[in-house]
Amino acid sequence: MSNIGRSVQREDVEGKVTGETRYGGDLRGPETLTAAVIRAAHPHAKILAIDLAPARAIEGVVAVLGREDIGGTNRHGLIKRDHPVFCDERVRYLGDALGMVIAETPEAAKRGVEAVRVQYEVLPVVATMRDAIAPDAPALHDFGNVLATQLIRKGDAAKSLAESDVVLTHTFAMQGVDHAFLDLEAGYAEMVEDVVTIHASGQWVHEERRLIALALGLALERVRIVQPATGGAFGGREDLSIQIYLGLAALTLGRPVRMQYTREESMIARHKRHPMEIEYTLGAKKDGTFTAAKVIIRSDEGAYASTGPAVLRKAVSHCTGPYRVPNVEADGVALFTNNCPTGAMRGFGACQLAIAYEGMVLAMARALGMDVVALKRKNLLRDGECLTTGQVVPVASAIDCLDAALARFGWADRAREAPSPTVRRGYGVSTFCFGVGYGDGYPDASRARVRFADDNVLEVYSGGVEVGQGLHSLLAQIAGEEFGIESSAVRVIASDTARTPESGSSSATRQTVFSGNAVKLAAGELHRQVMDAAAVMLGLHWEDLVIKGDRVVGVHHESVAAPLAWVLASARERGFLLDATAVYKPRTVAPVDDSGQSPRAFLTYMFGAHIAEVWVDIETGEARVKRIVAAHDVGKAINPREVAGQIEGGVAQGLGMALMEEVVTRNGRILNASFTDYIIPTILDVPTIDAVIVERVDLEGPYGARGVGEPPLIGAVPAVLAAISDAIGRPVHQTPATAERVWTIMQSPEPTLVTTWSLS
Amino acid sequence: MIYHRPQSIDEALALKSSLGQRARFIAGGTDLVVGIRKGRTTVDSFVDLSRVPGLAGLTRAGDTLRIGAACTHAQLEREGITALAQACETVGGPQIRNMGTLGGQVGTASPAGDVSVALIALDAVVELASVRGTRSMPLADFFVGPGRTSLEPDEMVLSVTVPTNRKSVFYKIGKRDAVAISVVVAAASVSPSGDVAVGLGCVAPVPFRPRKSEQMLRGHPLTSERIDAAAAMAASEVSPISDHRGGATYRRAMVETLTRRLLRTLADTPYEGLLSVAMSHS
């Protein structure tokens, strides 16, 4: 029986359901101290003086640490090293840290933080992107307020637009979004001999180790990161958070330390999804054939770079999505402000652009009087065609996903009548794509080790972190597959910098392809070692042997057989280690010239199609999503139930972004930094989600798998917006589409648009 | 911190009288504890009302229902008073509704208190008690500002009494379908003699009754024209603010929309049919 394509039960399910699983906040050692961070009082200010002495005088406070206690660069950041551990001259947002208090109790730590006196010279706040580019804007970094620019030049967009039959321009605006994972930043650190050992949840333990070692001025060997059980990440654990404070505290005091953010601190300190403004011009011929796109993207970067340059590149390189647009001129700019830094979040720039290009496709269908599904069919890429970056996609399966979604939805028979005199029914269809991995030539590799342990249990070692997505179970399925061993019998040792090889981040929808392949390669090598040993033991050529159940048997001579355990014992007696390591490091290519074109910007692309049914109260603007069908080409679903789970979770998160989630920021302050006011969907807000798994074999991934993580969110947002738009007859180009926004759109004088639907 | 658990209403009132302002009554604690954790509220001692006999009772007498202050929202979902049941169903989630009490709901005096809005729309009367005795007043008069009530420092909310013979209805606009503070909330009821009462939330410093609008309806049948005029009048009476939950323009417009919608429902629905009216299309 194959492990692949089976909905095996994950190894972490039971503990999570019974409550036995220990997350970062559950970890403690003997006589553990509590640490708390001293944060900025202003979004933008010069630091004149910091007086830590009053905090030291508080009863129960053990130590107060500041900039002078840091031995290294005092900087971290995933792309640019621009984020200070403790600010020395200036604070640039309210989450900036100035120092930390370590105390016997959480209460004493809090009192210590409150006792610190800081003298500031308050500086003007760069609150918006408009502020950032004003002629007299204060420069937030040495090089100004422009973090990055990105562009695409393909064909001649200006000329083509001038010759197009229909040219439409629309403006889109997307909000800041919080990751809202339930497992708050929390962890524990201690010194084990002279190694700072940090138990805290991130997304890439080996990179976190490097960043901490550099910032604190430690040799790499003196930092160890171990990931505890993690309750969600969604990109929100990519930038460093508590790990570095925990490490500094344990290192300085030599005592066990723990810390945990409050929800408010988590929301103020942690990066967000980039708010973006997009101006989009799309041209088409009378028959609907797209001719050209001109796209301008402005991205609010907040105070520090985080992964901003990569997010901007992903936005630009996905600006026409899964459509064939021969002429493209796209320009993106990322601007610093005094808002919360913005960085990675599920969708990584591609999500905002999907809202824009799908909004344009819908607008174009209306302008042409065409059925939007027919317009999509006309312009969706087919196998072997080129994306905007010039990259050829061998499997361009948006069209397959569209067909699968329409069939599952029962599109031809969908109801059209209004549910009540004040409620209208709307349908929205989205098609989209997403590049897997870091891409653009950025170093991207996964390593894995697979071995038979002394107790003959098959072991997988991976640095890849489990953040809720089911990675470790998937790696066990793949390793076991090579030996016919059930995944539940495979032991996974993971995400510990002292014990596991580096496997890159759990982000960019990359782990199934990257770590999956690394494990498959290592398992394949181990399989060769075992078969060699069996060949010697049984006197047959290794090609004439095969593993069947728990035995090695002759392919042509079933009478020749030995228990696998005997073979392993024999191998060890002859000095074999039964231990294999492999690296999977495929090539991607940076833009080859100043046109932004790349023959392989991303390793592979995922495609999908969603259909949403939304009911809109036309008097109040309230929109309720009644049903979503989400079809995704995942190449091969290694664990179909987990794939469906990722699709359902991504759709729910996308529904939140479409309808309610919004980080409201005024003058550098977040007004809704709590779960009372930052509204995420509850179970009552999430409708039936039909996950449709399409499997067109990927050329790169293990067993043809392509991954699933991010695209379900990307597809849900434009589908919901299109459905609202269908219900109210107006474009909806701003997120979230709250009742008030939808109502406001309906009050505007613009004439009602009619969506033309055909029974396609 | 001292935690008192009195065995009777009299003992509770005596404790409060002697302990003063910084002693707080606690029952479900769903609002008070949050306030303490956030540092909004300082408390020296608690007087726990959750086990005081006689405080969680529901008493029907004639055409009224007297609701003890320690009754939970979950209890009130099942009492057959439409607006009250609909309002209680929208409060928090099941855990909050099982803990949060009526006394806490009205004592908190939130302008966004969904159940308070339903209660004033039912023309509810609140009964207050202290060692000095008891007194009653219309609930709408009990609220004097955001978080402020007519309670004296030694007083507690003893009960709220609502009529059982009014047709009533409730509607809430929130940012999601559960555990959401309202953007705008409204309720309305009509008595057998045709008197209409309207309650509005999130559009004034207190749960608000648009008296001029109600006056326009007094003694007249609920015709479409009169309803439209009364709804427009209600919108002119409120004083909404803009905050991160919603803008003043939208809130004012929704006062008109919801008042019209609720009054039409009252006009169109047979007296007995109201419990099954699906106001929400969800």
Side-chain angles (χ1 to χ4, degrees):
Chain A
M1 181 173 52
S2 173
N3 283 340
I4 305 303
R6 268 178 64 206
S7 294
V8 302
Q9 179 168 312
R10 283 162 55 168
E11 80 295 343
D12 58 346
V13 166
E14 212 170 287
K16 285 180 172 172
V17 171
T18 59
E20 280 165 22
T21 301
R22 279 151 60 89
Y23 295 87
D26 299 322
L27 306 178
R28 275 160 194 69
E31 294 176 35
T32 304
L33 301 172
T34 298
V37 178
I38 303 157
R39 304 258 176 216
H42 304 280
H44 193 202
K46 208 162 134 186
I47 302 168
L48 301 178
I50 304 177
D51 184 6
L52 301 176
R56 294 197 172 103
I58 300 283
E59 192 188 336
V61 169
V62 174
V64 185
L65 305 180
R67 166 69 185 93
E68 61 282 0
D69 298 296
I70 295 177
T73 62
N74 188 37
R75 292 285 186 282
H76 62 88
L78 288 165
I79 293 179
K80 295 172 97 70
R81 309 283 192 243
D82 66 346
H83 200 135
V85 181
F86 293 148
C87 296
D88 26 28
E89 296 165 353
R90 192 145 63 126
V91 294
R92 294 181 178 87
Y93 84 111
L94 282 171
D96 257 334
L98 289 89
M100 66 190 297
V101 176
I102 303 124
E104 301 285 356
T105 64
E107 294 75 22
K110 187 164 178 271
R111 281 195 293 274
V113 167
E114 287 161 4
V116 170
R117 291 288 164 262
V118 186
Q119 274 184 282
Y120 294 101
E121 178 190 329
V122 174
L123 298 171
V125 175
V126 179
T128 63
M129 290 194 273
R130 199 167 296 274
D131 291 352
I133 53 170
D136 58 345
L140 296 179
H141 290 272
D142 295 344
F143 51 90
N145 293 339
V146 178
L147 166 65
T149 58
Q150 288 285 354
L151 57 75
I152 295 278
R153 293 289 180 272
K154 181 181 174 193
D156 188 337
K159 178 165 177 284
S160 176
L161 285 172
E163 294 165 2
S164 297
D165 297 323
V166 182
V167 176
L168 300 176
T169 299
H170 286 277
T171 304
F172 299 81
M174 297 89 187
Q175 78 276 39
V177 180
D178 190 86
H179 309 85
F181 42 68
L182 297 186
D183 173 23
L184 286 162
E185 290 92 340
Y188 167 77
E190 62 184 356
M191 295 301 291
V192 178
E193 292 169 359
D194 68 340
V195 177
V196 191
T197 306
I198 303 164
H199 301 261
S201 290
Q203 290 186 237
W204 185 358
V205 286
H206 289 82
E207 177 73 358
E208 288 146 22
R209 181 197 197 198
R210 281 190 288 273
L211 291 173
I212 290 169
L214 289 168
L216 300 185
L218 293 172
L220 204 56
E221 306 79 58
R222 291 198 59 204
V223 182
R224 178 183 176 190
I225 313 274
V226 185
Q227 179 114 346
T230 306
F234 314 116
R237 299 187 201 269
E238 287 196 37
D239 292 339
L240 277 186
S241 65
I242 55 165
Q243 299 97 331
I244 202 156
Y245 309 125
L246 281 169
L248 176 65
L251 177 73
T252 311
L253 300 179
R255 289 184 58 183
V257 181
R258 66 180 299 272
M259 69 185 297
Q260 175 158 4
Y261 285 175
T262 61
R263 178 60 62 185
E264 182 180 19
E265 184 174 23
S266 172
M267 287 191 71
I268 287 170
R270 180 168 27 79
H271 64 273
K272 301 286 178 284
R273 183 192 295 290
H274 289 78
M276 287 188 187
E277 292 171 11
I278 300 170
E279 285 172 44
Y280 207 119
T281 302
L282 182 65
K285 295 181 190 168
K286 267 188 217 133
D287 70 356
T289 307
F290 295 161
T291 53
K294 191 170 186 308
V295 189
I296 298 167
I297 302 162
R298 296 186 197 90
S299 179
D300 185 341
E301 194 51 53
Y304 297 104
S306 180
T307 44
V311 170
L312 187 66
R313 167 65 181 165
K314 195 144 200 172
V316 169
S317 69
H318 286 66
C319 72
T320 57
Y323 299 103
R324 186 187 310 109
V325 185
N327 303 285
V328 179
E329 183 183 324
D331 290 276
V333 60
L335 296 163
F336 283 120
T337 63
N338 290 119
N339 296 324
C340 188
T342 48
M345 186 173 177
R346 199 177 200 174
F348 207 77
C351 148
Q352 291 92 325
L353 268 293
I355 294 170
Y357 61 68
E358 287 301 86
M360 292 310 298
V361 171
L362 187 57
M364 186 58 81
R366 284 166 168 168
L368 292 165
M370 269 182 84
D371 165 38
V372 73
V373 174
L375 185 64
K376 283 172 181 284
R377 283 187 196 286
K378 193 172 203 67
N379 291 286
L380 282 172
L381 293 171
R382 302 304 200 273
D383 292 358
E385 289 192 295
C386 286
L387 291 154
T388 278
T389 49
Q391 177 172 351
V392 174
V393 267
V395 181
S397 49
I399 197 97
D400 307 86
C401 294
L402 179 62
D403 286 335
L406 292 168
R408 175 69 66 90
F409 195 87
W411 184 249
D413 303 321
R414 68 196 183 280
R416 293 303 303 184
E417 78 281 6
S420 87
T422 58
V423 176
R424 284 196 203 139
R425 200 190 295 261
Y427 296 98
V429 183
S430 70
T431 39
F432 48 92
C433 68
F434 186 76
V436 172
Y438 306 143
D440 290 312
Y442 192 84
D444 197 353
S446 276
R447 293 161 188 82
R449 176 185 178 202
V450 181
R451 68 166 195 151
F452 277 102
D454 293 343
D455 59 359
N456 286 345
V457 172
L458 184 66
E459 288 186 338
V460 179
Y461 290 75
S462 166
V465 300
E466 170 65 52
V467 292
Q469 81 277 43
L471 173 64
H472 294 166
S473 170
L474 174 126
L475 298 181
Q477 280 181 275
I478 291 175
E481 181 68 9
E482 296 294 307
F483 299 95
I485 295 174
E486 293 229 7
S487 61
S488 57
V490 177
R491 187 185 293 145
V492 179
I493 296 96
S495 48
D496 176 347
T497 58
R499 299 179 70 197
T500 60
E502 173 152 8
S503 305
S505 62
S506 284
S507 70
T509 310
R510 61 180 287 289
Q511 287 290 20
T512 296
V513 172
F514 281 74
S515 288
N517 268 334
V519 166
K520 188 166 186 293
L521 288 168
E525 168 56 18
L526 181 65
H527 184 266
R528 277 188 283 279
Q529 292 177 17
V530 171
M531 299 317 279
D532 282 351
V536 173
M537 182 181 168
L538 297 172
L540 282 178
H541 193 268
W542 59 266
E543 288 173 308
D544 292 330
L545 293 166
V546 66
I547 296 177
K548 265 194 184 168
D550 56 358
R551 300 189 316 154
V552 180
V553 299
V555 175
H556 306 294
H557 313 82
E558 291 231 0
S559 60
V560 179
L564 181 60
W566 291 15
V567 173
L568 300 180
S570 162
R572 288 199 189 90
E573 276 167 22
R574 299 180 70 86
F576 290 97
L577 286 174
L578 299 177
D579 193 327
T581 299
V583 55
Y584 176 69
K585 186 174 171 56
R587 184 184 298 275
T588 61
V589 182
V592 290
D593 54 27
D594 55 9
S595 68
Q597 298 287 292
S598 166
R600 203 184 199 193
F602 289 92
L603 179 63
T604 187
Y605 279 83
M606 305 186 58
F607 293 85
H610 285 198
I611 303 176
E613 177 179 354
V614 179
W615 292 9
V616 181
D617 186 319
I618 52 166
E619 288 186 343
T620 64
E622 294 167 283
R624 286 186 171 82
V625 182
K626 306 305 282 188
R627 187 182 175 202
I628 290 190
V629 170
H632 290 268
D633 180 7
V634 299
K636 172 73 187 173
I638 290 175
N639 184 327
R641 189 170 57 200
E642 292 298 314
V643 168
Q646 284 288 300
I647 292 173
E648 289 166 9
V651 166
Q653 208 165 18
L655 188 151
M657 180 177 175
L659 294 183
M660 57 190 86
E661 295 188 41
E662 180 172 24
V663 178
V664 182
T665 305
R666 293 281 179 276
N667 221 23
R669 285 178 196 274
I670 296 175
L671 302 185
N672 56 343
S674 73
F675 273 4
T676 305
D677 292 323
Y678 184 83
I679 302 295
I680 60 175
T682 70
I683 190 67
L684 292 184
D685 300 286
V686 178
T688 305
I689 298 167
D690 284 339
V692 180
I693 296 172
V694 176
E695 293 181 310
R696 290 198 57 204
V697 168
D698 192 72
L699 304 185
E700 280 290 336
Y703 308 99
R706 201 174 277 125
V708 65
E710 291 167 88
L713 184 151
I714 295 171
V717 188
V720 169
L721 296 180
I724 297 172
S725 179
D726 181 38
I728 68 172
R730 301 286 176 91
V732 181
H733 290 169
Q734 192 177 5
T735 52
T738 59
E740 179 170 357
R741 282 215 176 91
V742 172
W743 178 84
T744 306
I745 290 167
M746 284 189 288
Q747 307 311 304
S748 70
E750 191 178 331
T752 295
L753 298 164
V754 179
T755 314
T756 309
W757 297 102
S758 66
L759 297 179
S760 50
Chain B
M1 178 83 69
I2 305 168
Y3 196 87
H4 301 275
R5 187 183 285 166
Q7 299 302 312
S8 69
I9 292 170
D10 286 346
E11 188 187 344
L13 292 173
L15 275 167
K16 181 71 171 124
S17 175
S18 63
L19 294 168
Q21 198 105 39
R22 291 179 60 160
R24 292 290 296 266
F25 290 120
I26 184 165
T30 55
D31 195 66
L32 183 60
V33 174
V34 174
I36 292 167
R37 280 193 60 179
K38 292 202 167 172
R40 281 197 309 252
T41 313
T42 321
V43 179
D44 288 341
S45 55
F46 289 113
V47 179
D48 181 359
L49 300 178
S50 60
R51 299 188 190 188
V52 173
L55 208 51
L58 289 160
T59 318
R60 286 182 187 272
D63 290 331
T64 65
L65 174 68
R66 182 179 180 276
I67 306 162
C71 284
T72 64
H73 291 83
Q75 278 177 279
L76 300 177
E77 285 175 56
R78 302 183 290 264
E79 284 308 311
I81 298 172
T82 311
L84 185 59
Q86 288 173 332
C88 287
E89 277 169 13
T90 72
V91 171
Q95 298 91 334
I96 296 286
R97 297 199 288 273
N98 283 330
M99 292 299 291
T101 62
L102 177 86
Q105 162 74 221
V106 299
T108 296
S110 166
D114 297 334
V115 175
S116 295
V117 167
L119 288 170
I120 62 170
L122 286 161
D123 214 8
V125 171
V126 64
E127 183 188 13
L128 313 175
S130 72
V131 289
R132 296 172 288 118
T134 62
R135 62 187 177 123
S136 295
M137 66 173 71
L139 182 64
D141 298 341
F142 173 70
F143 303 116
V144 297
R148 292 191 298 119
T149 67
S150 308
L151 269 181
E152 298 294 334
D154 63 345
E155 275 183 314
M156 68 185 272
V157 175
L158 198 59
S159 72
V160 173
T161 298
V162 292
T164 54
N165 60 352
R166 292 179 83 104
K167 288 200 288 185
S168 67
V169 66
F170 169 92
Y171 195 91
K172 165 176 180 162
I173 299 176
K175 289 208 164 181
R176 65 182 164 201
D177 277 344
V179 207
I181 296 174
S182 298
V183 177
V184 181
V185 55
S189 76
V190 58
S191 72
S193 62
D195 272 356
V196 172
V198 175
L200 300 166
C202 312
V203 290
V206 293
F208 181 78
R209 280 184 67 169
R211 303 285 182 177
K212 290 182 196 161
S213 173
E214 290 176 357
Q215 188 60 41
M216 288 174 70
L217 299 167
R218 191 149 300 148
H220 297 282
L222 287 175
T223 61
S224 186
E225 296 72 26
R226 195 157 283 277
I227 286 172
D228 288 350
M233 176 59 81
S236 75
E237 292 182 73
V238 296
S239 50
I241 58 165
S242 293
D243 61 17
H244 62 268
R245 273 182 218 113
T249 305
Y250 178 68
R251 283 178 160 143
R252 193 181 295 279
M254 286 309 103
V255 166
E256 181 166 353
T257 298
L258 297 189
T259 303
R260 185 176 64 237
R261 181 177 285 191
L262 295 181
L263 293 176
R264 280 193 186 160
T265 304
L266 290 178
D268 294 349
T269 312
Y271 196 80
E272 286 75 23
L274 267 165
L275 250 190
S276 58
V277 169
M279 279 306 295
S280 160
H281 50 264
S282 60

